[in-house]
Amino acid sequence: MQVSSDVEMKWWQALLPVYALSFRMRFTQPSYPGFFHQGSLSAWLRTVLGSPREEYSKYMTSDALESGHRRFAAGEEYRFTVFGMGERGKEYLGQLPAAIMTNQSEWDNAMPFRDNWQLESIEHWSSGERISNNEIPLALDAHLLEDEMAFWRQQQTICLRIQSPLRVYRSRHKEFKGELRYCRDVADLKDNMRWLIRVDDTLRKLAEDHGVSTPPRQTLSDVAADIDLFWVNASNTDNRSKKQSMSGLLGKITIQYPDLLTDESLALLVIGQYLGVGQLRVFGNGRYQLIGNDEACSFHRQPATGWLEYAMSEDNLRVAWHAIANKSENDWVEYPKSEKRADHDLDWDRHGLLARAGKLLRGEYQPPVLHGFFHEDADGGLRPLAAPPLSDRVMQRAVQQIISPTLDTMMNHCSYGYRSGRSRYQVCDLIQRLHREGYRWVFESDIRSFFDTLNWDKLRTRLYSLLSDAHTVNAIIAWMQAPVQYKGKLVERSQGLPQGSPLSPVLANLMLDDFDHDLTDAGCRLIRFADDFVIVAKTKEVAEKGGVLAEKALLDVGLELNQEKTHIVPFSDGFRFLGFMFVDGMAVECSAKRSERAGKPPPKSWLAIAEADDESKQEQPLRSTMPVTLSPYEERGQMLIFCGKPSVLFTRAGRVHVERDDECLFESPWNHLGGIVLFGRHHITTPAMLEALAHHVPIHLASSSGKYKGMIFNPHCATSGELWLAQQHLFSDDRSALQAAISIVDARIRHMRETLRRRKSPIMDQAYQSMGVSLRKVTTVDSREQLNGVEGNATRNYFEALRELVPKVYGFHGRNRRPPKDPFNALLSLGYMQLYAHVDALLRVNGLLPEHGFYHQRKSGHAALASDLMEPFRHIVERCALSMLQRQKLKPDDFTMTGDKGCRMTAAARRVYFAKLSEAFYTPVQAAGGGKPVPILDHIHHQSIAVKLWVGGKTVSFEAWRMR
């Protein structure tokens, strides 16, 4: 390829132009290509072209659009796309149709792609329209690249949806061998933007293969990215019947602020979606597609036949009908008897089902509401079930019959629940065999409220990654999101799988497969049946390690262990699992132990929501009456923060208990706690105080509004003096203090900008763009005075924009204080005061000196560090205040003007507002970078710990909290 010497020429343009063709084939013999087709397809293409591997890798790559379909019958169609780089790549594409039709190579009959198909048509790679043999459509050149970059600049987020396994070297990968060299952990992938570096490295190497010398890498765009990826095991059999690993990561990477991407980074991301990135790129690994707002994309991937078309065929629907109507042994739920009788009275209604199936295929089908009922389990607990109507159940069963056998081949061997050919009796035999092999300890647990709390977004990500079919994925998610009708109430759901849907078992196993792989790859002997599992081990230490790994693996997918059912016991003590009692090497069937929640529905289920007392919910939101159990950021253990109505904290059998109205809200061993914080008038018994002192667990007391009162602690374990000295020394260093201040101001501006993002008007757009400029300036300041200027300008633009959002009747013209002169400013001042109190209290809980900050000036009686660390959270107050006025939760009559004393609120209005603020502080929110959504108090605590680690020298810098 000739490269211009023009100084404006960018090195990545050496990869352009890119051409593409799609081929539609028809199998003449059955084929079994496995789950991922990329490797076998690439090997076949390279062979029919007669191209050496090195030559092919320079100019060609392919996209296996049908990956996921494991088998094809004679007569079925298959579509794939081939990309060629430069004139040489275009030449190869021109040769390919003839090479396919005159394929004379000798093939092993085990190869999925060989001389077992015929060419049906050559098509445009994006539109799917037929083209002539001599047409080679352009996919991307310098002009199209500029157009694409302009398109992506307009998107509010950019998602890299990974379609074939991506392999990214982990940090210090040379210390490892085999597939352990590649990232599996999200933290490792985010370290120094490793995922973006992999894109850059791949395309630089490709440009150098084309004879272009690339300049040294500039600093890549430092952008916030939410990463939801999971590892899949895959392999390819080449034309010599030799297996090669094709394993890697699937999922999505979502860039939150794409306007911060440099032109180089954005250009590489666009080009990468055509050429693929990472190791084994030439075999089709590392393919991704960029997705923007509302599923916007620059081109569409179109397989020959979608999953729904297979599922809704007449033959498959008839099989599904008989499976549902006859209640085969594979069904996992007993439906109401009245409906069961009705099922048997109905005949195969071909026309009715096919008409509904047609609507589903056209995207016109609206899933019906689910019928809610419950079943009492053997342990006395109530299991909420939600079943679709019969016809809908048949269609879901039809989809399950198509996707389940395929997904099952990807799933870990340790999973036994709801899988063909597997049962609890096999589990019983396995556990007894392991005991004979020397396994003597077991970690037993289950997943808390799994079917009620499963995250739909994470489920969607996994389905897209494996099925690559938006139509099918949207249909499945719509079925999972259907509301439940129960006793005349329509219960809307925001998460979970309906236990009663024929699709739920396979989806449950799919969501937990990442958990299975994490543990088995770490060497744990895991046995899982749906949401119940055990880890068997030869020593207690190994069992304990397995429990720690299990907890972390569940957190990665937004789930948690059921601590009440979590134990580590020796085989000699006996344990119950799947209806068996195991004692040493003996197993006997037994009845389940009666649960403490016998007669009660799971707390987060639709049944619990339906039966909740409406008046009680309005008086005190459920989330603010429960404890907030914070993550174990310190080695000593987790921090327990308790809020809401008065409760009693006492000790029993070495465990701390919290009860209200005879209901146990929380319990844990004392040695699992690093501290307790009580907001409000809670009661603590003297024995509990003595137990806390004995276990060095400080108890911190604060008012319900957040004002810190003091603590009960053992002075022999106090270490605050040394920490305070280190804090004062570090914060006195202008360079260190400035970097920390930049971090909190950056977070503050981002959150102000996000508040305005979805609100469309010229003023909003102008303020949004202005704050984007401020964000870029923040990173260039070299003094606190300059930083103050940037922050002040952004704040003025922000409040100027808010003038348009606050109803005119409240007379808001800008931020003012001491005293506030209008209702909106009064709400802000009260809210900031409460936020400041909570931040101050948690700083004291964590042993920091609130009076000494790194950004705000120190003043008598003022906790400067609390003012610093509340900056990233101020938008919570602003959104809450704005919502109260816009939705008329508060009205003009709730405020009075008192001259020099400013605007005041009535006592009743303050109670309503404080309740709303409390709800905002206790509502789970996801931080930038993913992770489990947790309450704002958790994030405040985490940010305080981050400062503490920085002050203590355990981290080199401080990063302020940023929301997702």
Side-chain angles (χ1 to χ4, degrees):
M1 174 179 179
Q2 295 295 321
V3 181
S4 169
S5 60
D6 190 336
V7 295
E8 294 300 319
M9 182 74 178
K10 306 295 192 300
W11 67 262
W12 55 82
Q13 292 178 349
L15 303 172
L16 305 176
V18 177
Y19 299 92
L21 278 179
S22 287
F23 296 84
R24 187 179 294 267
M25 319 287 288
R26 188 179 300 277
F27 282 101
T28 57
Q29 303 170 38
S31 177
Y32 306 94
F35 197 96
F36 291 108
H37 308 175
Q38 292 90 344
S40 299
L41 179 65
S42 297
W44 178 76
L45 288 169
R46 194 173 71 248
T47 302
V48 298
L49 279 171
S51 169
R53 178 172 175 174
E54 295 75 15
E55 177 81 357
Y56 185 89
S57 65
K58 280 186 184 181
Y59 301 105
M60 308 294 288
T61 186
S62 58
D63 187 6
L65 302 173
E66 312 284 345
S67 275
H69 295 286
R70 296 175 52 247
R71 59 185 65 191
F72 293 85
E76 288 192 35
E77 291 187 337
Y78 187 95
R79 188 171 186 262
F80 62 92
T81 300
V82 186
F83 296 92
M85 287 166 276
E87 293 307 313
R88 184 60 171 153
K90 183 179 181 181
E91 181 181 338
Y92 272 131
L93 283 175
Q95 297 171 3
L96 195 53
I100 291 175
M101 289 188 289
T102 60
N103 174 24
Q104 298 297 322
S105 302
E106 292 186 6
W107 298 94
D108 184 336
N109 286 336
M111 293 297 296
F113 306 122
R114 50 189 194 276
D115 53 351
N116 60 341
W117 50 3
Q118 62 187 27
L119 179 63
E120 291 286 300
S121 62
I122 303 170
E123 302 174 343
H124 189 278
W125 64 282
S126 180
S127 68
E129 296 178 358
R130 290 194 176 205
I131 59 176
S132 65
N133 286 4
N134 56 2
E135 284 187 72
I136 311 294
L138 180 69
L140 193 70
D141 63 6
H143 296 295
L144 292 174
L145 175 61
E146 290 296 324
D147 292 343
E148 274 217 47
M149 291 172 64
F151 170 79
W152 294 113
R153 288 285 185 205
Q154 297 172 2
Q155 304 302 308
Q156 295 169 352
T157 61
I158 299 178
C159 171
L160 282 72
R161 184 175 289 157
I162 300 170
Q163 296 154 332
S164 62
L166 169 68
R167 296 156 79 99
V168 178
Y169 281 125
R170 64 193 297 181
S171 58
R172 305 191 310 276
H173 66 273
K174 294 182 180 179
E175 300 174 14
F176 302 90
K177 294 182 179 181
E179 293 185 352
L180 292 178
R181 295 174 296 164
Y182 303 107
C183 292
R184 298 192 185 199
D185 186 82
V186 169
D188 201 16
L189 198 65
K190 293 179 71 173
D191 182 33
N192 295 321
M193 306 287 288
R194 192 169 302 282
W195 62 273
L196 188 53
I197 289 175
R198 194 59 175 114
V199 176
D200 184 88
D201 284 345
T202 300
L203 299 184
R204 282 177 183 273
K205 174 65 168 59
L206 197 52
E208 289 167 2
D209 288 344
H210 284 221
V212 175
S213 178
T214 61
R217 178 161 44 223
Q218 301 175 357
T219 301
L220 293 173
S221 303
D222 185 10
V223 293
D226 289 345
I227 299 180
D228 183 12
L229 298 177
F230 59 100
W231 184 268
V232 291
N233 291 320
S235 62
N236 162 59
T237 302
D238 62 18
N239 56 6
R240 295 183 297 276
S241 299
K242 182 179 178 181
K243 278 201 170 186
Q244 179 180 22
S245 173
M246 302 285 288
S247 302
L249 293 165
L250 291 178
K252 66 178 181 180
I253 301 173
T254 305
I255 300 170
Q256 291 297 328
Y257 302 100
D259 55 321
L260 298 181
L261 286 167
T262 64
D263 286 344
E264 178 172 339
S265 293
L266 183 56
L268 296 182
L269 288 175
V270 171
I271 296 172
Q273 72 173 336
Y274 293 89
L275 304 183
V277 297
Q279 195 205 33
L280 301 179
R281 176 199 66 81
V282 67
F283 284 100
N285 266 28
R287 298 207 65 83
Y288 64 85
Q289 187 172 15
L290 298 181
I291 305 294
N293 311 336
D294 301 321
E295 295 295 310
C297 59
S298 51
F299 64 89
H300 295 279
R301 302 172 73 246
Q302 299 178 1
T305 307
W307 293 89
L308 278 184
E309 293 175 76
Y310 285 114
M312 295 299 114
S313 69
E314 182 173 344
D315 288 345
N316 192 58
L317 280 171
R318 183 181 285 107
V319 173
W321 165 266
H322 289 298
I324 292 296
N326 295 330
K327 290 293 181 295
S328 76
E329 61 181 12
N330 293 324
D331 287 322
W332 72 318
V333 66
E334 285 294 321
Y335 299 98
K337 292 182 178 179
S338 58
E339 187 182 31
K340 187 182 294 188
R341 285 195 300 271
D343 289 354
H344 286 293
D345 291 338
L346 293 174
D347 293 326
W348 157 246
D349 183 359
R350 186 181 72 178
H351 299 291
L353 273 174
L354 288 178
R356 291 182 175 87
K359 285 187 175 182
L360 183 64
L361 290 172
R362 295 190 299 273
E364 301 170 358
Y365 187 73
Q366 179 66 39
V369 299
L370 305 174
H371 167 64
F373 56 105
F374 63 85
H375 170 76
E376 184 173 343
D377 287 333
D379 64 357
L382 300 184
R383 181 156 59 111
L385 303 172
L390 177 65
S391 59
D392 200 64
R393 219 154 61 235
V394 172
M395 289 197 294
Q396 290 192 40
R397 170 75 187 208
V399 173
Q400 180 267 335
Q401 289 172 173
I402 295 299
I403 68 171
S404 185
T406 294
L407 295 179
D408 192 74
T409 63
M410 301 294 294
M411 292 180 186
N412 196 286
H413 61 85
C414 72
S415 169
Y416 285 82
Y418 314 123
R419 297 181 67 180
S420 178
R422 294 187 165 218
S423 70
R424 68 187 188 97
Y425 294 101
Q426 291 175 316
V427 173
C428 177
D429 293 340
L430 174 59
I431 291 176
Q432 288 181 291
R433 177 170 63 80
L434 291 174
H435 181 268
R436 292 194 296 270
E437 293 175 4
Y439 290 82
R440 294 292 183 269
W441 287 85
V442 63
F443 174 91
E444 55 174 335
S445 187
D446 68 11
I447 303 168
R448 182 185 296 277
S449 302
F450 170 70
F451 283 98
D452 299 317
T453 61
L454 186 140
N455 184 288
W456 289 337
D457 189 51
K458 290 185 178 294
L459 175 62
R460 186 190 297 271
T461 296
R462 279 148 182 77
L463 288 170
Y464 265 127
S465 300
L466 295 168
L467 303 183
S468 297
D469 184 342
H471 197 180
T472 303
V473 173
N474 290 337
I476 293 173
I477 295 297
W479 272 323
M480 296 303 103
Q481 293 176 337
V484 179
Q485 189 81 33
Y486 180 71
K487 291 185 177 179
K489 295 181 181 179
L490 189 65
V491 183
E492 299 287 347
R493 300 161 48 250
S494 60
Q495 56 189 357
L497 299 175
Q499 297 188 68
S501 161
L503 280 165
S504 290
V506 65
L507 299 181
N509 279 331
L510 173 63
M511 280 301 299
L512 291 174
D513 189 60
D514 199 27
F515 167 77
D516 297 341
H517 282 297
D518 282 351
L519 267 65
T520 55
D521 290 347
C524 294
R525 197 59 194 255
L526 172 71
I527 304 168
R528 181 178 63 78
F529 197 103
D531 54 345
D532 291 320
F533 69 91
V534 294
I535 300 172
V536 294
K538 293 187 176 181
T539 67
K540 183 178 181 181
E541 291 72 22
V542 174
E544 290 172 341
K545 179 183 176 182
V548 172
L549 291 171
E551 187 167 24
K552 181 182 182 301
L554 287 175
L555 286 174
D556 289 344
V557 290
L559 300 167
E560 58 181 309
L561 290 176
N562 186 341
Q563 296 294 344
E564 291 80 6
K565 295 185 178 181
T566 299
H567 307 285
I568 296 177
V569 296
F571 270 70
S572 58
D573 285 0
F575 64 94
R576 296 169 185 259
F577 186 52
L578 304 183
F580 294 99
M581 182 68 182
F582 296 92
V583 181
D584 286 328
M586 181 175 61
V588 294
E589 291 199 69
C590 64
S591 58
K593 184 179 178 181
R594 191 156 182 83
S595 168
E596 292 182 2
R597 295 197 58 84
K600 297 179 181 178
K604 297 182 180 180
S605 65
W606 64 260
L607 183 59
I609 296 171
E611 294 187 345
D613 182 73
D614 293 337
E615 184 177 343
S616 173
K617 280 206 311 182
Q618 293 175 4
E619 183 177 279
Q620 184 68 39
L622 179 62
R623 61 173 62 93
S624 65
T625 68
M626 298 297 289
V628 180
T629 308
L630 298 185
S631 306
Y633 301 120
E634 295 178 292
E635 292 180 1
R636 288 190 58 206
Q638 64 186 5
M639 180 73 70
L640 174 68
I641 296 182
F642 201 75
C643 324
K645 293 165 63 176
S647 304
V648 178
L649 188 151
F650 63 94
T651 185
R652 178 190 295 153
R655 300 173 71 87
V656 60
H657 291 251
V658 181
E659 288 189 0
R660 180 188 298 122
D661 299 329
D662 296 325
E663 181 182 4
C664 180
L665 300 178
F666 178 84
E667 66 168 300
S668 170
W670 281 100
N671 56 15
H672 284 190
L673 295 179
I676 297 173
V677 188
L678 302 177
F679 285 93
R681 296 182 176 275
H682 303 283
H683 306 284
I684 178 169
T685 66
T686 300
M689 285 189 282
L690 294 173
E691 200 73 24
L693 294 172
H695 285 85
H696 305 301
V697 177
I699 300 175
H700 302 268
L701 307 174
S703 70
S704 58
S705 62
K707 185 178 177 64
Y708 190 77
K709 298 294 186 181
M711 68 173 167
I712 304 166
F713 77 112
N714 187 334
H716 297 296
C717 61
T719 58
S720 294
E722 293 178 3
L723 185 67
W724 291 350
L725 289 174
Q727 178 184 340
Q728 290 177 313
H729 175 75
L730 183 63
F731 291 3
S732 298
D733 178 71
D734 290 340
R735 182 178 178 182
S736 298
L738 179 60
Q739 290 304 311
I742 287 173
S743 182
I744 64 167
V745 171
D746 178 272
R748 168 62 171 153
I749 295 175
R750 288 180 188 277
H751 294 161
M752 291 191 294
R753 194 167 182 250
E754 180 66 14
T755 300
L756 303 181
R757 180 169 66 89
R758 296 185 182 276
R759 308 172 190 276
K760 299 297 182 183
S761 76
I763 293 178
M764 297 297 141
D765 291 341
Q766 182 179 356
Y768 184 85
Q769 297 299 328
S770 175
M771 281 186 279
V773 174
S774 296
L775 278 174
R776 289 187 280 273
K777 288 183 178 179
V778 162
T779 59
T780 65
V781 302
D782 53 17
S783 70
R784 185 166 12 203
E785 289 72 28
Q786 290 182 10
L787 184 61
N788 284 336
V790 174
E791 191 270 345
N793 184 61
T795 303
R796 282 191 296 275
N797 290 328
Y798 174 65
F799 281 107
E800 182 68 21
L802 289 184
R803 286 180 57 185
E804 187 174 345
L805 300 178
V806 178
K808 304 301 182 187
V809 67
Y810 296 107
F812 174 71
H813 300 292
R815 178 69 179 128
N816 56 66
R817 58 186 75 81
R818 299 195 187 101
K821 299 179 175 60
D822 60 81
F824 187 57
N825 271 298
L827 292 175
L828 293 182
S829 293
L830 280 172
Y832 291 155
M833 180 179 68
Q834 197 167 32
L835 175 62
Y836 169 93
H838 281 86
V839 176
D840 176 57
L842 289 172
L843 283 171
R844 298 179 191 276
V845 165
N846 288 304
L848 291 162
L849 185 64
E851 288 78 12
H852 198 91
F854 51 76
Y855 181 45
H856 288 86
Q857 295 295 326
R858 186 174 183 180
K859 293 180 287 188
S860 177
H862 173 240
L865 185 57
S867 292
D868 292 348
L869 297 187
M870 67 183 280
E871 289 294 331
F873 301 96
R874 284 181 181 268
H875 68 288
I876 303 293
V877 173
E878 290 146 4
R879 290 181 175 185
C880 184
L882 192 60
S883 173
M884 297 295 283
L885 298 185
Q886 287 182 329
R887 299 183 180 184
Q888 298 185 343
K889 300 296 183 182
L890 295 176
K891 299 181 179 179
D893 291 343
D894 293 317
F895 302 89
T896 56
M897 299 302 300
T898 59
D900 293 339
K901 293 184 179 180
C903 181
R904 294 294 181 90
M905 300 172 63
T906 65
R910 278 199 304 273
R911 285 194 295 272
V912 172
Y913 182 50
F914 282 148
K916 184 67 175 177
L917 279 174
S918 296
E919 184 177 359
F921 289 157
Y922 308 141
T923 299
V925 173
Q926 192 172 33
K932 175 185 176 183
V934 294
I936 289 296
L937 286 179
D938 194 331
H939 292 303
I940 293 173
H941 170 71
H942 193 187
Q943 184 175 254
S944 299
I945 290 294
V947 173
K948 185 175 181 179
L949 294 174
W950 174 46
V951 169
K954 295 183 179 180
T955 57
V956 296
S957 62
F958 162 71
E959 293 293 333
W961 175 80
R962 280 161 46 181
M963 71 176 180
R964 180 177 184 271

